[in-house]
Amino acid sequence: MPAQGLVNKVMELLMSKRMRQIENFIKNPIETQENILFNNLSIARNTEYGKLYGFNEIDSTNEFQSRVPLVKYEDFEPFIEKARKGVPDVSWKGKIKWFAKSSGTTNAKSKFIPISEESLDDCHYAAGKMMFAIYLHNHPDTEIFKNKNLRLGGSSEIYQKYDTLFGDLSAILIDNLPFYAELRNTPNKQISLMTEWETKMKAISQAVIQEDIGCLTGVPSWMLVLLNNILQETGKAKLDEVWPMLEVFFHGGISFKPYEENYRNLTHKKLNFYEIYNASEGFFGIQDQSDSKDLLLLLDNGIFYEFIPMEEFESDNPRIVQLQDVEIGKNYAIVITTNGGLWRYIIGDTVKFTSKDPFRILVSGRTKHFINAFGEELIIENAEEGLKRACRATGAIVKEFTAAPIYMEGNEKGAHEWLIEFEKIPEDIEKFTELLDNSLQELNSDYEAKRYKNITLNQLKLNIARENLFFEWLKSRGKLGGQNKVPRLANSREFLDPLLEMNR
């Protein structure tokens, strides 16, 4: 048997457990989900949260839903802060050592998501193995196991005084990988966990150029910056001139649509693209078909799912739908209960089901207006507070605004583009633009990271709207009055481009 066939045979044996797990939850989805819920309740029954809501007495899913409240980050933050200070048994058994840092909360620059040992092993790592098992199943002749995986991770920091740590989810995953898995990844842990991005990019480029890379995993925006760097440093036109064995990019974190053409142009040969849906709160879905972007919902990795129909999301008492009752094509907000100690937690993402046998989804957006084209998760509260600060400093008054991404093209960096209709225009537009951009960095750690030394994002671009532009635009769409509003932030240019055209 050729060496590659032998490698894949060994990998098939190692991955067969994961394929059986996938086949089992596809066959028994509802039973699997109930087992996950009651296992989580059992582990956490003697925690502070478990005692508060009587986990011991819960004997059905309906009882769970009537006893335990729906929460957003702001509601749950006091419990998280207690756990961050090293207090054990708050919402999950034992002491939580790791917290994944991300942005997107209304009243703080960052939020911290608890990562227990169970969520690390049985959710994130288990799903990573499922990802490779699915790829091998779909591509039995793959050579990725003979070559290395180029991963792009963040950094971690110690929360002084309390001996707990926080950092990007990717940093936590890299830092805890077993040594045998570390051997198949590049760059090494030391480089992967560097904090200063400019130095880190150079170090990664130098470390990986001579490696045999078979696959890439990471966020499309950051990865594109790195890959363009590597082409520049090597003087090569295409990536497969640097890495002839490169065959797949596993990507997640942000929408791939704006980047797909860029990635297709990076190689002579066809590159496979597999989408994953992983977040600080959990690893939720994997593309399981090579010819479809639908994501298989992972039902057996410690997460119990509930869904709120989006038309009821703002209601005081929204209807909560269990997995068996979802409808295809309908927009739902996701609610999760996890083996990291989150209980009925609204993560802010919305999904649509494309299939119920098996349960497959597409990520359809967020419960709030946002821009997340580069992993920056800029939410409406950030935008409004940033404007308030820039106005306060310059005496300007804003009447209407909208903002959208400027996508990366070739070696060009991305940016955010704003269109503002002022009631009182600032005397110095450049100063206002700079103040707004700096305020957004102060308010949002992910935007700050992407703006750092213009590595991924340039300073925002500001356009001034003529008087009544937004009113005329709404009128032209038959959207005057009632609940109709100008979309403040959009993750695409569907609103901004027509407005700019009218403004001309």
Side-chain angles (χ1 to χ4, degrees):
M1 182 184 284
Q4 187 49 41
L6 188 61
V7 171
N8 284 6
K9 267 280 172 255
V10 171
M11 289 311 295
E12 268 175 37
L13 286 170
L14 292 173
M15 298 287 179
S16 59
K17 178 189 171 189
R18 296 301 164 191
M19 283 312 297
R20 283 198 302 275
Q21 194 180 350
I22 292 166
E23 285 158 8
N24 184 56
F25 74 65
I26 284 174
K27 275 184 202 157
N28 309 294
I30 309 309
E31 186 188 331
T32 301
Q33 276 285 279
E34 283 183 359
N35 289 342
I36 292 289
L37 173 61
F38 287 102
N39 186 53
N40 288 354
L41 285 167
S42 172
I43 291 171
R45 67 185 183 275
N46 293 322
T47 62
E48 182 185 332
Y49 207 75
K51 288 172 182 171
L52 184 62
Y53 293 108
F55 285 8
N56 256 336
E57 295 157 34
I58 294 173
D59 59 5
S60 70
T61 308
N62 290 342
E63 174 83 359
F64 170 69
Q65 290 178 320
S66 65
R67 271 181 184 261
V68 183
L70 290 171
V71 294
K72 294 180 179 172
Y73 186 80
E74 291 77 13
D75 309 312
F76 205 67
E77 189 175 26
F79 296 98
I80 287 174
E81 275 308 300
K82 200 178 273 191
R84 281 189 75 208
K85 288 175 179 172
V87 177
D89 302 319
V90 179
S91 69
W92 192 251
K93 186 179 179 181
K95 181 179 169 179
I96 304 273
K97 185 185 173 186
W98 285 102
F99 294 82
K101 178 185 173 186
S102 69
S103 70
T105 171
T106 303
N107 56 5
K109 184 171 174 174
S110 300
K111 57 185 180 186
F112 298 90
I113 302 301
I115 306 284
S116 66
E117 284 185 25
E118 288 86 351
S119 64
L120 201 62
D121 291 337
D122 303 335
C123 180
H124 293 287
Y125 288 152
K129 290 169 189 169
M130 286 181 194
M131 176 183 86
F132 284 112
I134 285 169
Y135 188 77
L136 176 60
H137 180 76
N138 290 347
H139 305 270
D141 297 328
T142 179
E143 299 200 342
I144 62 170
F145 301 113
K146 202 169 75 175
N147 302 295
K148 287 200 173 180
N149 170 46
L150 167 54
R151 55 126 186 243
L152 203 46
S155 58
S156 64
E157 302 163 54
I158 291 174
Y159 190 20
Q160 257 71 25
K161 291 200 297 186
Y162 301 114
D163 191 32
T164 60
L165 297 104
F166 66 88
D168 294 346
L169 173 69
S170 55
I172 294 170
L173 298 179
I174 289 167
D175 204 25
N176 288 283
L177 267 182
F179 77 94
Y180 56 84
E182 190 59 31
L183 295 173
R184 302 311 311 154
N185 286 286
T186 189
N188 63 31
K189 194 179 283 193
Q190 191 182 353
I191 294 171
S192 293
L193 298 177
M194 285 168 76
T195 306
E196 210 280 324
W197 270 100
E198 218 171 20
T199 317
K200 180 175 182 162
M201 281 288 181
K202 285 177 186 159
I204 292 175
S205 296
Q206 287 163 8
V208 302
I209 283 169
Q210 301 305 322
E211 295 278 15
D212 294 322
I213 305 293
C215 65
L216 313 168
T217 54
V219 176
S221 52
W222 282 118
M223 186 63 80
L224 191 58
V225 173
L226 174 67
L227 299 177
N228 281 328
N229 249 10
I230 283 164
L231 290 177
Q232 215 171 340
E233 282 196 28
T234 56
K236 303 291 187 190
K238 301 285 182 181
L239 275 182
D240 38 4
E241 294 170 30
V242 185
W243 302 312
M245 306 309 289
L246 183 64
E247 64 173 273
V248 61
F249 177 29
F250 297 103
H251 58 86
I254 58 175
S255 170
F256 190 55
K257 271 182 198 168
Y259 300 95
E260 192 160 352
E261 198 53 39
N262 290 34
Y263 275 91
R264 291 202 186 283
N265 292 332
L266 283 175
T267 52
H268 293 293
K269 66 180 184 183
K270 181 177 174 282
L271 199 57
N272 293 319
F273 301 112
Y274 271 70
E275 187 149 353
I276 55 177
Y277 178 18
N278 64 330
S280 304
E281 295 87 352
F283 203 134
F284 308 127
I286 297 172
Q287 179 184 330
D288 65 320
Q289 305 164 100
S290 57
D291 58 350
S292 168
K293 288 293 178 194
D294 297 1
L295 303 170
L296 181 70
L297 188 64
L298 303 181
L299 304 177
D300 191 20
N301 60 344
I303 299 167
F304 176 75
Y305 299 95
E306 299 169 80
F307 304 91
I308 305 173
M310 272 312 286
E311 66 269 21
E312 298 191 34
F313 186 74
E314 297 297 343
S315 148
D316 290 338
N317 189 24
R319 184 167 57 93
I320 311 296
V321 175
Q322 292 182 31
L323 188 65
Q324 59 266 38
D325 299 320
V326 295
E327 295 173 40
I328 288 173
K330 195 165 189 165
N331 214 18
Y332 293 103
I334 307 185
V335 179
I336 57 168
T337 288
T338 76
N339 53 3
L342 296 176
W343 299 93
R344 305 198 77 209
Y345 178 86
I346 300 167
I347 62 171
D349 287 346
T350 61
V351 297
K352 288 182 178 176
F353 282 84
T354 58
S355 156
K356 289 182 69 169
D357 185 18
F359 285 96
R360 289 198 183 99
I361 56 169
L362 287 174
V363 181
S364 51
R366 299 280 290 170
T367 54
K368 295 180 179 179
H369 288 173
F370 73 107
I371 305 178
N372 191 31
F374 311 95
E376 69 277 45
E377 292 189 67
L378 192 82
I379 59 172
I380 192 72
E381 285 86 353
N382 300 153
E384 288 173 345
E385 179 59 28
L387 280 172
K388 198 159 87 181
R389 292 183 186 187
C391 286
R392 200 184 299 137
T394 59
I397 300 171
V398 169
K399 187 178 175 186
E400 291 284 7
F401 75 92
T402 192
I406 300 172
Y407 296 117
M408 295 172 165
E409 278 187 31
N411 284 324
E412 277 299 303
K413 305 287 166 63
H416 287 184
E417 185 166 11
W418 289 61
L419 178 62
I420 301 179
E421 187 179 327
F422 288 98
E423 240 167 64
K424 185 182 174 191
I425 295 183
E427 282 179 24
D428 188 336
I429 290 295
E430 279 185 26
K431 186 186 175 190
F432 182 91
T433 305
E434 196 176 314
L435 282 164
L436 175 57
D437 194 78
N438 288 340
S439 296
L440 295 175
Q441 292 182 59
E442 287 165 15
L443 291 160
N444 182 305
S445 56
D446 284 330
Y447 183 71
E448 181 182 42
K450 309 302 180 281
R451 281 285 293 115
Y452 179 72
K453 294 193 177 178
N454 297 349
I455 286 177
T456 302
L457 292 180
N458 289 324
Q459 180 177 287
L460 67 85
K461 179 182 176 183
L462 178 59
N463 303 283
I464 297 175
R466 60 176 166 77
E467 197 178 351
N468 289 329
L469 173 75
F470 288 91
F471 177 86
E472 289 168 24
W473 179 74
L474 285 170
K475 187 178 176 182
S476 72
R477 290 160 56 92
K479 298 276 187 187
L480 286 180
Q483 293 297 304
N484 295 304
K485 294 174 189 156
V486 174
R488 299 304 199 193
L489 302 177
N491 209 32
S492 70
R493 296 181 64 87
E494 63 178 308
F495 306 118
L496 184 64
D497 282 341
L499 275 158
L500 288 172
E501 189 57 43
M502 276 183 82
N503 202 39
R504 289 188 193 106

